Amino acid sequence: MSKQKLLLIGNGMAGIRAIEEILKLAPDKFDITVFGDEPYPNYNRIQLSKVLQGDTEIADITLNDWNWYEENGISLYTGESVTGIDTKQQTISTDKGRKIAYDKLIIATGSVPFMLPLPGADKEGVTAFRNIRDCEQMIQASQEHKKAVVIGGGLLGLEAARGLLNLGMTVDVVHLSDTLMERQLDKTAGKMLQKELESQGMNFLLEKQSAEIIGEERVAGLKFADGEEVQADLVVMAVGIKPNAALAKDSGIEVNRGIIVNDYLETNVAGVYAVGECVEHRGAVYGLVAPLYQQGQEMAKRICGTESVGYQGSVLSTQLKVSGVDVFSAGKIVEDEETKSVKVFDDWRGVYQKVLIDEGKITGAVLFGDTKDGNRLLGLINKSAPIEEYMDNAASQETGVDLVASMPNEEIICGCNGVTKGAIVDAINSQGLTTVEQVKGCTSASRSCGGCTSLVSDLVACTIGDAFEQNQKESVCSCTTLSKDEVIEEIKAKGLSHTREVMNVLGWTSEEGCSKCRPALNYYLGMLNPTGYKDEKESRYVNERLRANIQKDGTYSVVPRMYGGVTNSKDLRKIADVADKYEVKLIKVTGGQRIDLFGVKKDDLPSIWAELDMPSGAAYAKGLRTVKTCVGADFCRFGTSDSIGLGTQLEKKFEGMNAPHKVKMSVSACPRNCAEGAVKDVGIIGLDGEYEIYVGGNAGTHMRQAELLAKVKTEKEVLETTAAFLQYYRETANYLDRTSVWVERMGIDHIKEVLADEQTFKELNKRMDENMSVVQDGWKEVLEDKTMARDLYENVKIPVGTK
Amino acid sequence: MEKLISRVFIAKVDELPKNLGKRVYVGDGNLELAVFKLANGDIRAIENRCPHKAGVLSEGMVSGEYVFCPMHDWKISVVDGKAQGPDVGCVKTFKVAVEDGEVYVLLGEAEEASLPSECSHS
Ligand code: SRM
Ligand SMILES: Cc1cc2nc3c(=O)[nH]c(=O)nc-3n(C[C@H](O)[C@H](O)[C@H](O)COP(=O)(O)OP(=O)(O)OC[C@H]3O[C@@H](n4cnc5c(N)ncnc54)[C@H](O)[C@@H]3O)c2cc1C
Ligand code: SF4
Ligand code: FES
C-alpha cells in the first residue's frame, strides 16, 4: 500500500512538534513534506531572547537539525513560502512555482508580529522581534549604534530590552499602560519588576502613546502623541502578535481571529488541520509553546486514528527570561469580589507571592523574586486543587531534592513540554539515564525555555541517588563511567603507560577517546610517572601542543618570560627587533606583567623563539603562568621584604611545571597587596618578619577569594610550603580544576592538616623536585627537536595550477 | 562549467605525523586544507575551515575519525565532513590517493561532488 502524503506548512515549533508526535504514533504511515519560509531547520524561537542576551548562540538553538529530517525521511523545503492551497484538488503551490499534492494538510504558520502603523514605520532600523533575522539585525545595529527604543513593556519587549542592554546600547522602554506586563502581573508585582529592571539600567516611559517614527532614511527618534520626542537609532516593536491566518483565509478555510479548529484541531475543510499560534480554539488564541504542544499531541492522535478526548484548552503560565529577575504567573492574576488571596510580601528580600483562591480552590498565582513554587502552583491550578494542598507544603522550607521527592507523580515538571515527574522518573529508570542532557533527549523536559532545568537535575539526583553524584561530578568524560580517582587507581594497579592503553584496558566506549579525556589521561599519566612518561603531543590542546596561544584567525601569540615582571633594556630591544622583523600585529602588556606579541604565523614561531633567545612565558600552559610582584622594600616606602626577589625565585622554581590547570602566583611586600594575592592560586604577602601564604584565589570566571594556608618566617619556607601545596594539588585535583575549585572541594583545613604532617610535607616536596627535574623549557624543546619542529610547525604550500 | 580535477602532491606518508593535522595552503590562499593521518593509517583531507566560526581544523585534536575544532571544540567527522550533534554544519571533504608512499589530494570537481547533501539547504 502506498503511503499517505502528509504536508506541513510552517517549519516552526508547533508544526514540527506535531510531526514528532505523529512519528511516535505511526512512524511509517506517511510520506512527510515540510515547507518553511525561513532558511533554517526548526529552531527554538524562545531562545532568541537568550541569543540576544548573549547567553547562547544562534548555532546552538537548533531543535531538529538537518539530519533529523533526513533520518525520518522528511522532504524539507526551506526558504520557500506556500502561497496557495487548493482544497478541492488537494494541492498547495509555492512562491518557487512548485505544486504538490497532499492527502492530509497541517497549517502551522505561527504568528506575525504586530507592527504599529505609525508614519515612518518603514524606516531602516525599525524591527520586530520574532525570528533569527530580527535578532541578527538587532545585534548588527548594536555594533554601529548607541540608542534603542523598545515599544512594548510585555514579556517580549522586556526580554528584547535586556538583550539590547547586554549588547551595550542605552534602552528606553515605551509602554502604553502604567505597569509592566499587566497581562501577566498585578500592579504590585509590575512595580517591583520595574524597580528591578531600572536598577539593571532600563529606562521606562510609561503611559506613552507612540505617534510617529522620525528620521531620514534611518530612524532618528520616536515622537509621542503628547508631542514629546526621544532619540533612537533602533526601534523594536514588541506590542503583540497576530495569528498568521491569511493563507488559510484566502484558501477558503474558516478564520476568525485565527484559523478556527475543533478539539481535534480540524478546520472546517476535511483533511486540513491547523496547529499552533495560527489557530483559534474555543475562542482562545495561544502564544506560548505549552498549549501548542498539547494541541499537537491531540492532533497527532486524530491524524493517526488513535482514540482521544481531544484538546480541552490550557491554563497559561509565564516566566520572564531575564537574568536576575524571577517572575512567574499563572491562571487568574487579579482579584475580583469573590476572590480571596494568600499573600506574602517581603520588601527587604524583594519577594512577593500571591495565590488566588475562588471557593476554596486555587485559581491563579503571581510570584516575584522567588519562583521555585511556580510549576507546582501551575499543577495545582490545573487540577483546581484546594488551597490547603498548597499551604500544607508551603510552610516547610524544603531543599530542591526534598521538594521534587515530595511531588506527586502526575505533577508537571516541564511546563512547556508537559512532562510529568512520573514520565521523567520512568525514563530514568527504564533507560538508565544519569544526566539532565539525557533526560532532555528522551523526554523533551527542559528542551524549550529551560526554566525547569534545576528541577530536572534535582529529580535525576533523587531518582538515582549516589550514582548521580559520581556521574555528575566525577566521570572523566562521556567515554567512561569511571571517576578520576578510579582511573588513577587502575593506572597504578595495572601499570598502564599510554592513553590508548588506559582507554582499551578500562573499556572506554570510544576507541580513541575525546577532547576531554585525552588531555586528562595524558596529564594523569605524566603526573604519576614524571621521569618515565613520554608526553603525547597529540593529546594536548592546541595552545599547549604548539606552545603558543592560537588566535581567532589561526595565528599565534608569543609571550617570553619576564621573571617577576622585571625586564631590562636588552630584552626589550630583542622583543622590539623580532616584532619589527616578523611584523607582529600587536604588542601588548598583559595582565600578567609581561609583553605579548600577537598575530604571529605558525611557521614563524620557531624562528622568533630562536631569535628572542628568552625562556617561554608558558602563557599557554596548564601549569605555572606568571608570578606577579609588587615593587617591594627596595623602593616602596611601605615594603617589608624583597617581593621581586622572592617572586623571581618562585617563578624559576616552578616554571615548566605541569598541573591540572594554570597556576598564577603573586608576591606583595605589605598588606596593601598590590600584586593582588587575594585572587591568585598562591598569593604571598610579606609582613614584618613573616610571610602569609594565601591559596585558592581566582579572578577568572568564578571569582574566589584566597584563604590563608600558612604563616612562615623565611623565604625557604615559602618555597617549600608552596611546593607541598602545589604537589598535593597536582596529585589530587581533577584535570581542569583550578586550585580555587580544588581548595573549595577539599576544604582549607584538610589541606592544612595534610601539610602539617612533617613526613608528608617532605615527601610532597620530594615528588615535586622529582617532577621538576625533567622539565624543559617549552620553546627550547622544539628548537632542539627537528621532527617536532617539522611535524608541528611546518605547513604545506601548493602553488596554483598544479596538476 | 569545465573544471579540471587537479591532483596535488602533499607529502610523503612517513612525513605526516600520526593523529595530527597538516595545514595545506592551496594556490593564492583562498583554499586551505587540513590533512590528517589517522591512528589507523588512513589519510583524510577536508577544508581547513570550521563550519562554526572558521576555526583552523588542522590544529584540532584528532580522535578516531573525528577532529575537535581547536576554537570551540566542535566535533567534525574527517570522513564526511559533518559536524556531530548537537552542532550543525559541514566542511568540504576531498579525495586522497596514496601511491608509492606519496600522498595526493584530488581538487576540482571532486570537492563539489563530495559536499554533503544537507549543506545545500543553507
Ligand atoms: C594575554 C592575557 C590578556 C591580556 O592581554 O592581558 C590573557 C589572554 C587569554 N586568556 Fe586570560 N589572559 C591574561 C590574563 C588573565 C587574568 C589576569 C591575571 O592573570 O592577572 C585572568 C584572571 C585571573 C585568574 O586566572 O584567576 C585570566 C583569566 C582567564 C581565564 C579564566 C580562568 C578561570 O579559571 O576562570 C581563561 C580561560 C581558561 O584558562 O580556561 C583565560 C584564557 C585566556 C586565553 C588563553 C584564551 C584562549 O584559550 O585562547 C587568552 C589568549 C589570548 C590570545 O589571543 O593570546 N584567561 N586571564 C593575559 C595574559 C597574562 C599573562 O601574561 O600570561
Ligand atoms: C523572542 C521570543 C521569546 C519567546 N519566549 C517564550 C517563552 O519563554 N515561553 C513560551 O512558551 N513561548 C515563548 N515564545 C513564543 C513561542 O516561540 C511561540 O509560541 C512558538 O514559536 C509558536 O510556534 P508556531 O509553530 O505556532 O509558530 P512559529 O514557531 O512562528 O512557526 C511558524 C513558521 O511557519 C513559517 N511560515 C509562516 N507562513 C508560511 C508559509 N506560508 N509558508 C511557509 N512557511 C511559513 C514561519 O516563517 C515560521 O517559521 C517566544 C517567542 C519569541 C519570539
Ligand atoms: S578576557 Fe581573556 S579570554 Fe576573554 S577575550 Fe579577553 S583575552 Fe580573550
Ligand atoms: S570555530 Fe570551530 S568550534 Fe568554533
Side-chain angles (χ1 to χ4, degrees):
Chain A
M1 207 182 69
S2 79
K3 291 185 185 178
Q4 285 204 37
K5 292 199 216 58
L6 177 67
L7 198 141
L8 169 68
I9 310 177
N11 186 27
M13 297 186 76
I16 293 302
R17 173 53 70 87
I19 298 289
E20 288 182 344
E21 297 287 348
I22 291 170
L23 289 170
K24 260 192 251 164
L25 296 174
D28 297 315
K29 190 164 176 183
F30 299 102
D31 252 338
I32 303 174
T33 304
V34 176
F35 280 90
D37 58 10
E38 292 186 75
Y40 315 96
N42 179 35
Y43 64 89
N44 191 337
R45 199 170 297 287
I46 299 176
Q47 301 286 347
L48 288 178
S49 294
K50 300 204 171 160
V51 170
L52 202 63
Q53 289 176 39
D55 297 334
T56 181
E57 294 190 43
I58 287 176
D60 299 332
I61 64 172
T62 306
L63 282 173
N64 302 77
D65 60 20
W66 303 108
N67 283 333
W68 178 84
Y69 294 85
E70 204 174 300
E71 279 158 16
N72 288 293
I74 298 172
S75 322
L76 172 64
Y77 298 90
T78 54
E80 183 159 347
S81 180
V82 175
T83 46
I85 307 171
D86 183 336
T87 57
K88 299 247 157 44
Q89 302 289 323
Q90 302 210 330
T91 56
I92 60 99
S93 46
T94 74
D95 62 350
K96 297 215 171 125
R98 218 182 296 270
K99 196 163 181 179
I100 293 191
Y102 65 82
D103 297 307
K104 287 190 160 56
L105 177 71
I106 303 172
I107 307 177
T109 44
S111 297
V112 281
F114 185 72
M115 300 301 274
L116 294 173
L118 305 177
D122 55 350
K123 287 194 197 312
E124 202 185 305
V126 181
T127 177
F129 184 22
R130 176 72 191 175
N131 54 33
I132 290 183
R133 207 184 25 183
D134 300 335
C135 212
E136 284 171 342
Q137 198 183 334
M138 288 191 250
I139 293 171
Q140 166 103 37
S142 74
Q143 286 161 3
E144 291 153 18
H145 302 279
K146 290 231 149 49
K147 172 74 190 290
V149 172
V150 175
I151 310 183
L155 270 175
L156 205 59
L158 296 177
E159 289 180 6
R162 179 64 251 184
L164 293 167
L165 280 179
N166 287 13
L167 288 168
M169 298 189 84
T170 321
V171 184
D172 288 344
V173 176
V174 177
H175 196 45
L176 199 54
S177 156
D178 65 341
T179 38
L180 300 175
M181 283 177 65
E182 76 280 1
R183 301 237 305 280
Q184 293 92 9
L185 299 180
D186 62 1
K187 276 217 156 52
T188 316
K191 286 292 166 201
M192 291 175 85
L193 175 63
Q194 182 181 342
K195 220 161 93 191
E196 172 59 36
L197 292 175
E198 273 166 355
S199 78
Q200 294 191 5
M202 253 179 240
N203 181 39
F204 291 100
L205 304 169
L206 301 181
E207 295 179 87
K208 282 280 193 199
Q209 187 173 2
S210 310
E212 188 186 339
I213 292 176
I214 45 190
E216 302 287 316
E217 228 159 82
R218 190 181 178 90
V219 41
L222 181 68
K223 193 170 180 174
F224 300 107
D226 60 14
E228 243 179 89
E229 275 177 25
V230 288
Q231 189 236 323
D233 310 313
L234 172 74
V235 172
V236 180
M237 288 206 197
V239 289
I241 51 176
K242 59 177 187 226
N244 183 7
L247 172 66
K249 192 169 182 181
D250 295 343
S251 314
I253 296 164
E254 201 183 334
V255 168
N256 182 29
R257 234 181 349 135
I259 304 170
I260 296 185
V261 293
N262 63 15
D263 289 359
Y264 304 100
L265 289 300
E266 294 165 322
T267 67
N268 68 320
V269 175
V272 180
Y273 301 76
V275 68
E277 285 186 342
C278 60
V279 311
E280 178 175 331
H281 170 261
R282 297 190 190 173
V285 169
Y286 297 97
L288 293 169
V289 293
L292 310 183
Y293 287 172
Q294 288 165 20
Q295 293 175 350
Q297 222 167 14
E298 297 307 321
M299 181 178 75
K301 288 182 194 156
R302 177 50 60 117
I303 290 179
C304 300
T306 314
E307 273 301 300
S308 79
V309 290
Y311 177 62
Q312 305 295 321
S314 309
V315 175
L316 287 184
S317 72
T318 20
Q319 228 161 341
L320 181 69
K321 300 184 298 298
V322 167
S323 63
V325 190
D326 292 319
V327 246
F328 172 90
S329 84
K332 199 163 159 175
I333 51 164
V334 268
E335 298 89 330
D336 51 35
E337 274 118 62
E338 319 289 89
T339 323
K340 300 219 162 22
S341 62
V342 180
K343 281 187 204 166
V344 177
F345 182 68
D346 179 343
D347 198 13
W348 169 242
R349 277 171 57 229
V351 173
Y352 170 67
Q353 297 180 308
K354 178 173 83 170
V355 178
L356 298 184
I357 308 145
D358 284 289
E359 298 170 2
K361 308 243 188 310
I362 306 178
T363 51
V366 177
L367 307 178
F368 185 94
D370 178 352
T371 54
K372 57 174 191 305
D373 278 352
N375 269 328
R376 195 152 70 88
L377 278 164
L378 178 63
L380 296 173
I381 296 168
N382 269 323
K383 62 175 191 192
S384 308
I387 179 68
E388 288 76 16
E389 202 171 313
Y390 175 66
M391 298 304 286
D392 290 351
N393 251 319
S396 60
Q397 278 289 342
E398 292 171 301
T399 67
V401 173
D402 294 339
L403 182 83
V404 290
S406 70
M407 283 180 180
N409 268 336
E410 61 281 5
E411 187 147 331
I412 301 264
I413 299 281
C414 171
C416 290
N417 294 286
V419 189
T420 61
K421 173 183 166 187
I424 297 177
V425 172
D426 281 352
I428 293 173
N429 289 333
S430 67
Q431 305 185 42
L433 311 183
T434 52
T435 65
V436 175
E437 275 309 302
Q438 291 169 338
V439 171
K440 186 167 162 186
C442 286
T443 66
S444 282
S446 81
R447 193 174 156 215
S448 298
C449 80
C452 62
T453 311
S454 70
L455 273 180
V456 174
S457 163
D458 290 342
L459 192 50
V460 178
C462 89
T463 311
I464 64 175
D466 292 347
F468 181 72
E469 284 289 300
Q470 283 227 330
N471 208 288
Q472 301 301 301
K473 297 211 181 78
E474 308 212 47
S475 133
V476 171
C477 71
S478 59
C479 305
T480 176
T481 52
L482 297 176
S483 69
K484 175 214 88 195
D485 290 337
E486 287 165 338
V487 170
I488 288 189
E489 277 318 303
E490 296 280 350
I491 293 177
K492 284 191 197 156
K494 303 200 162 93
L496 308 176
S497 57
H498 299 285
T499 58
R500 274 185 81 109
E501 189 186 10
V502 175
M503 298 189 275
N504 278 331
V505 174
L506 304 185
W508 246 238
T509 56
S510 65
E511 206 175 316
E512 292 184 41
C514 68
S515 58
K516 292 210 169 49
C517 57
R518 289 250 306 273
L521 292 179
N522 186 47
Y523 169 74
Y524 297 140
L525 287 162
M527 179 271 288
L528 291 169
N529 182 10
T531 49
Y533 181 68
K534 183 166 182 307
D535 191 76
E536 272 177 27
K537 52 188 186 308
E538 321 70 71
S539 296
R540 291 270 189 179
Y541 293 120
V542 57
N543 290 357
E544 293 160 82
R545 186 181 340 119
L546 292 184
R547 292 119 209 267
N549 288 333
I550 194 167
Q551 335 269 228
K552 56 191 286 189
D553 64 353
T555 61
Y556 292 83
S557 65
V558 170
V559 186
R561 206 165 268 298
M562 219 171 248
Y563 297 95
V566 181
T567 182
N568 55 54
S569 54
K570 189 172 132 262
D571 283 349
L572 289 173
R573 219 166 266 127
K574 279 197 290 193
I575 292 175
D577 287 342
V578 299
D580 283 346
K581 174 162 172 198
Y582 292 91
E583 299 176 335
V584 309
K585 292 190 194 129
L586 172 77
I587 308 174
K588 180 176 185 300
V589 175
T590 74
Q593 292 188 336
R594 55 231 190 125
I595 293 176
D596 199 343
L597 305 174
F598 290 89
V600 177
K601 291 197 217 62
K602 184 171 84 169
D603 37 356
D604 284 339
L605 287 171
S607 27
I608 289 206
W609 299 336
E611 283 165 46
L612 276 173
D613 191 27
M614 291 169 74
S616 163
Y620 45 79
K622 305 265 175 280
L624 181 75
R625 294 282 175 93
T626 62
V627 181
K628 187 167 178 166
T629 66
C630 76
V631 211
D634 284 352
F635 292 91
C636 176
R637 62 200 165 115
F638 297 116
T640 59
S641 60
D642 176 14
S643 47
I644 296 177
L646 180 55
T648 306
Q649 284 184 63
L650 281 164
E651 197 160 345
K652 292 209 153 134
K653 182 170 167 87
F654 296 109
E655 69 179 313
M657 171 185 75
N658 276 314
H661 206 312
K662 59 193 179 190
V663 173
K664 299 175 176 184
M665 308 202 220
S666 82
V667 185
S668 303
C670 89
R672 288 170 193 75
N673 208 355
C674 295
E676 301 167 326
V679 289
K680 295 286 184 261
D681 296 282
V682 178
I684 315 291
I685 300 179
L687 306 174
D688 224 352
E690 163 169 90
Y691 298 91
E692 289 176 344
I693 305 175
Y694 288 84
V695 292
N698 190 309
T701 326
H702 301 285
M703 184 81 180
R704 184 177 192 274
Q705 189 176 338
E707 292 177 275
L708 184 63
L709 175 71
K711 294 189 186 190
V712 299
K713 296 274 182 246
T714 62
E715 290 189 340
K716 180 162 172 282
E717 285 171 289
V718 170
L719 292 163
E720 285 172 359
T721 309
T722 305
F725 168 79
L726 289 176
Q727 182 63 16
Y728 192 43
Y729 163 63
R730 295 183 70 242
E731 291 175 4
T732 55
N734 295 330
Y735 186 67
L736 289 191
D737 277 354
R738 288 283 296 266
T739 63
S740 53
V741 175
W742 175 75
V743 170
E744 188 76 32
R745 178 161 67 85
M746 303 298 261
I748 187 79
D749 290 334
H750 164 81
I751 298 170
K752 279 183 185 165
E753 241 167 68
V754 170
L755 301 202
D757 183 87
E758 214 174 304
Q759 189 61 27
T760 314
F761 188 88
K762 273 205 192 113
E763 279 164 12
L764 285 168
N765 263 283
K766 197 165 135 249
R767 289 201 293 276
M768 176 61 91
D769 289 343
E770 188 192 1
N771 167 57
M772 294 310 302
S773 70
V774 291
V775 158
Q776 270 179 288
D777 179 74
W779 293 348
K780 238 192 214 127
E781 205 182 338
V782 176
L783 296 175
E784 286 168 359
D785 183 339
K786 285 268 165 348
T787 347
M788 193 162 168
R790 183 197 69 195
D791 285 358
L792 294 178
Y793 300 92
E794 277 177 19
N795 302 315
V796 176
K797 288 200 176 80
I798 302 170
V800 241
T802 27
K803 285 273 162 65
Chain B
M1 194 175 69
E2 284 275 308
K3 215 172 177 189
L4 287 171
I5 298 182
S6 37
R7 185 167 167 281
V8 298
F9 171 71
I10 302 293
K12 294 223 170 73
V13 174
D14 311 340
E15 285 168 6
L16 289 178
K18 223 176 208 176
N19 262 348
L20 286 174
K22 191 64 104 193
R23 191 167 181 176
V24 179
Y25 298 98
V26 181
D28 48 10
N30 286 330
L31 178 62
E32 226 182 279
L33 308 180
V35 177
F36 301 97
K37 180 154 95 184
L38 309 183
N40 65 11
D42 278 5
I43 296 174
R44 298 286 178 172
I46 60 178
E47 189 178 4
N48 197 16
R49 218 183 127 78
C50 179
H52 180 216
K53 295 193 173 170
V56 277
L57 296 168
S58 54
E59 322 296 350
M61 210 182 295
V62 185
S63 273
E65 298 185 337
Y66 302 98
V67 60
F68 292 85
C69 178
M71 292 295 165
H72 318 97
D73 209 30
W74 278 30
K75 185 180 178 186
I76 313 277
S77 162
V78 299
V79 176
D80 64 12
K82 283 190 193 170
Q84 304 298 299
D87 301 318
V88 196
C90 46
V91 294
K92 288 184 192 170
T93 57
F94 295 86
K95 291 215 173 72
V96 174
V98 179
E99 275 163 36
D100 299 334
E102 297 189 331
V103 181
Y104 296 87
V105 171
L106 306 179
L107 302 172
E109 260 168 353
E111 43 179 294
E112 306 299 337
S114 69
L115 193 63
S117 62
E118 70 196 39
C119 289
S120 51
H121 291 288
S122 45

